């Protein structure tokens, strides 16, 4: 840095006519514009005369730099020789670069944390960053493939009394061995109509093509990660003008969407597909819910939401305290089915009515309003109860909507305090010190295993739980509500958690509760009856799609069934080596995501995204392939998942250890680290403060 008043001298590159860069004179630091400090413009190491640093190690590097846009940040040294960084010397982006960073980037349906994968698990772990993917299945640009004659064929079949012409060739082309989808990275032999699956290596028949609707790529969303750091992966053949083998667009486009029809659509249907969706409103009627005003406010908010709901939506009403009740219309709002409190371990045997109490909004809106108006009065007339059998209410909702997908809106004031899945935790006594801090931290971790199993059962039944937790103001009459354990229901079922603290206690809290109930009652979805599946090539496996951190079952870690998915929803999964000692196949590995869902107009669709990973054999190859945003988000998700089972301090120490190990691995790689850091004892002390 030049002294005050002096002009900035141009940097002298190593090996130029001026020799090495001259020593920096003292003076106030002058930050250089971002990206305008060339790599190697300053000598390595501390100034001359520092102890422990031979003079010859300040010479030019004997290797080409890996990062051509690396910025050298000057550092000063205190009397003990430790480097001291001045924040004002950090580079700043110029106006053009800042504007480019603020521009929205193209979304990516399948973003990977690395553009490469290590040959062995040991090499992958050495960098200290997780290998995985973020899946946003409803965003990004897709090439839509459909049968343009589908509507005509359906009309002709209806006019002919059900007779159908021979079916058209299938739109979807899948591997007969692993069920993977045809993609740009598969090997295709058009002359013999065969293709080799890049996931498992099986050679398959290539069926005749169906006519595509294209090149209609649709931008369905925006994302911060798309287009940055190579997050798009391989852009093979995204241009619409590229010829496709045998008329198959999926051999060119890595992101495609099939719009199915006829028999092919029926082949990809789920058990709940084709039936009208339902909504179950389950309201707590305990003493705390009545006294705090939460029940009254929730009933009014439900009335407002039903007035805006679709006329075809079918609704059922359930109330629960220590007893769960299902209400029927036309009987003055009186409960038609009453389920007595079960034992603590076993769910009750639910009675099966001949006609489920589901009512269309368009035909029964006035009766539903009258029932909601009368619910607070019915609760006041019933014997007072303080226990809430929330687990039984969820099971009742499953029995009501059996056979169809549904959303369940639950108002919970007292949590699961009675019956099946009853919580046992309470606030720790105020003792102070580390013991109290550890006890309070433990309350942030879910510990109710029956609620976790119930959440999985809701997901398998295509039922999303939208839980509104509104605990009353703290006091002797209002027990502790275990929100961390309750949150497992919406998280595992694909629903939502809305938390309103101290309902009825703080000013304005009831208005917040009303807004939360109205938000939970909005049941519009971008995709319904969904199945999300991750597939990988040989040697890799996707784990944790349902729940990161090993909370999911071993047999369903790469497949996820949800009643609905919206455009903003995202999912994460880890990619692991199946064998810690066996290396991956050379050259490339592959990851493929597939979302099976019903579109807004009811047609069955399959959206497929495929990405390619280069097989790396060195730390350097892995380092240059890191996608920082995806890696950091995946690291944060893994840390949150680990914090559900471990202490936060333990999770923090594991992350720090991984970072240090990754830095050590990079320092020991001569292609990444300047020579002076390889001096004897140079990197023996810095991992501890790092």
């Amino acid at each position: 840095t030049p002294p005050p008043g002096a002009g900035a001298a141009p940097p002298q590159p190593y090996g130029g006519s001026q020799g090495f860069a001259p020593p920096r004179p003292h003076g106030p630091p002058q930050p250089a514009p971002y990206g305008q400090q060339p790599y190697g413009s300053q000598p390595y190491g501390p100034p001359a005369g520092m102890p422990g640093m031979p003079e010859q190690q300040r010479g030019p590097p004997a290797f080409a730099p890996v990062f051509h846009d690396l910025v050298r940040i000057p550092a000063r040294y205190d009397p003990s020789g430790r480097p001291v960084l001045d924040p004002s010397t950090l580079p700043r982006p110029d106006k053009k670069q800042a504007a480019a960073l603020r521009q929205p980037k193209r979304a990516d349906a399948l973003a990977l944390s690395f553009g490469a994968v290590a040959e062995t698990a040991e090499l992958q772990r050495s960098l200290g960053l997780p290998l995985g993917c973020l899946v946003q299945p409803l965003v990004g640009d897709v090439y839509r493939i459909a049968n343009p004659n589908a509507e005509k064929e359906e009309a002709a079949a209806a006019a002919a009394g059900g007779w159908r012409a021979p079916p058209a060739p299938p739109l979807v082309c899948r591997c007969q061995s692993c069920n993977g989808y045809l993609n740009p990275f598969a090997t295709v032999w058009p002359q013999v109509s065969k293709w080799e699956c890049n996931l498992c290596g099986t050679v398959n028949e290539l069926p005749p093509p169906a006519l595509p609707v294209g090149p209609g790529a649709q931008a369905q969303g925006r994302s911060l990660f798309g287009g940055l750091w190579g997050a798009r992966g391989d852009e093979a053949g995204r241009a619409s003008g590229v010829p496709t083998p045998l008329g198959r667009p999926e051999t060119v486009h890595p992101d495609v969407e099939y719009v199915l029809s006829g028999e092919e659509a029926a082949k990809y249907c789920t058990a709940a597909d084709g039936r009208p969706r339902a909504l179950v409103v389950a309201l707590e009627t305990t003493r705390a819910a009545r006294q705090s005003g939460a029940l009254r406010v929730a009933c009014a908010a439900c009335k407002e939401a039903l007035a805006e709901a679709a006329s075809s939506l079918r609704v059922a009403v359930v109330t629960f305290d220590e007893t769960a009740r299902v209400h029927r219309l036309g009987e003055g709002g009186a409960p038609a089915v009453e389920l007595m409190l079960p034992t603590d371990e076993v769910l009750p045997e639910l009675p099966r009515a001949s006609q489920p109490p589901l009512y269309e909004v368009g035909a029964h809106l006035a009766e539903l309003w009258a029932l909601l108006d009368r619910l607070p009065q019915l609760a006041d007339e019933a014997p007072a109860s303080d226990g809430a059998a929330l687990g039984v209410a969820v099971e009742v909702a499953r029995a009501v909507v059996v056979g169809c997908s549904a959303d369940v809106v639950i108002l919970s004031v007292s949590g699961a305090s009675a019956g099946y899945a009853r919580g046992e935790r309470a606030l720790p006594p105020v003792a102070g010190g580390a013991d109290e801090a550890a006890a309070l931290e433990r309350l942030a971790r879910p510990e109710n295993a029956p609620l976790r199993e119930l959440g999985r059962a809701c997901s398998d039944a295509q039922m999303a739980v939208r839980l509104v937790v509104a605990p009353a103001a703290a006091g002797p009459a209002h027990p502790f509500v275990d929100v961390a354990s309750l949150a497992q229901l919406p998280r595992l079922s694909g629903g939502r958690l809305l938390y309103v603290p101290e309902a009825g206690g703080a000013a304005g809290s009831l208005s917040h509760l009303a807004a939360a109930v109205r938000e939970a009652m909005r049941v519009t979805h971008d995709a319904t009856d969904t199945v999300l599946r991750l597939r990988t090539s040989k040697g890799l496996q996707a784990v944790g799609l349902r729940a990161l951190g090993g909370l999911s079952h071993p047999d369903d870690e790469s497949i996820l069934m949800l009643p609905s998915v919206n455009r903003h929803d995202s999912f994460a999964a880890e990619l692991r080596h199946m064998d810690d000692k066996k290396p991956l196949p050379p050259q490339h590995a592959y990851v493929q995501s597939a979302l099976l869902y019903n579109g807004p107009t009811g047609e069955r669709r399959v959206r497929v995204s495929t990405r390619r990973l280069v097989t790396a054999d060195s730390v350097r190859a892995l380092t240059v392939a890191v996608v920082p945003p995806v890696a950091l988000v995946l690291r944060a998700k893994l840390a949150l998942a680990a914090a559900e089972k471990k202490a936060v301090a333990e999770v923090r120490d594991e992350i720090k250890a991984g970072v240090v190990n990754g830095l050590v691995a990079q320092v020991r790689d001569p292609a990444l680290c300047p020579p002076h850091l390889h001096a004897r004892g140079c990197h023996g002390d810095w991992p501890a403060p790092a």
Side-chain angles (χ1 to χ4, degrees), residues 37 64 81-82 93 99 122 148 220 245 258 266 346 451 463 507 513 682 689:
Q37 293 179 321
R82 297 176 62 88
E122 182 180 1
Q220 302 254 350
Y258 302 96
V346 184
L451 282 180
M463 190 176 77
L513 173 60
C682 181

Side-chain angles (χ1 to χ4, degrees), residues 620-652:
R620 175 185 179 180
L622 278 181
T623 303
V624 299
V626 175
V627 183
V630 182
L632 292 176
V633 171
L634 187 60
R635 166 60 70 192
K637 287 179 174 289
L638 286 169
L640 291 174
E644 294 184 1
K645 301 183 294 182
K646 306 176 183 178
V648 174
E650 185 178 352
V651 176
R652 180 189 62 228

Side-chain angles (χ1 to χ4, degrees), residues 108 110-115 131-134 230-231 233 575 591 611-613 625-627 630-631:
D108 193 4
L110 180 59
L112 303 175
S113 60
F114 283 80
L131 173 65
C133 59
L134 296 178
L575 301 177
V591 182
R611 300 291 181 265
R612 178 167 62 184
L613 292 166
V626 175
V627 183
V630 182

Side-chain angles (χ1 to χ4, degrees), residues 532-613:
L532 178 61
R533 179 70 185 266
L534 275 180
R535 293 180 174 88
T536 58
S537 56
K538 290 182 177 179
L540 289 177
Q541 59 178 344
V543 298
L545 182 61
R546 173 172 283 190
L548 284 173
L551 294 178
S552 56
H553 290 174
D555 57 347
D556 64 357
E557 289 184 326
S558 62
I559 186 170
L560 182 63
M561 298 180 61
L562 292 174
S564 61
V565 172
N566 293 315
R567 191 162 300 171
H568 63 271
D569 292 340
S570 63
F571 308 90
E574 288 186 272
L575 301 177
R576 298 177 183 173
H577 293 69
M578 298 187 67
D579 192 332
D580 285 350
K581 297 182 179 180
K582 185 178 180 180
L584 293 178
Q587 295 186 344
H588 299 105
Y590 303 92
V591 182
Q592 186 178 85
S593 68
L595 178 71
L596 178 66
Y597 71 102
N598 284 345
T601 56
E603 70 279 3
R604 200 63 173 163
R605 302 186 180 193
V606 184
R607 182 173 291 208
V608 182
S609 298
T610 310
R611 300 291 181 265
R612 178 167 62 184
L613 292 166

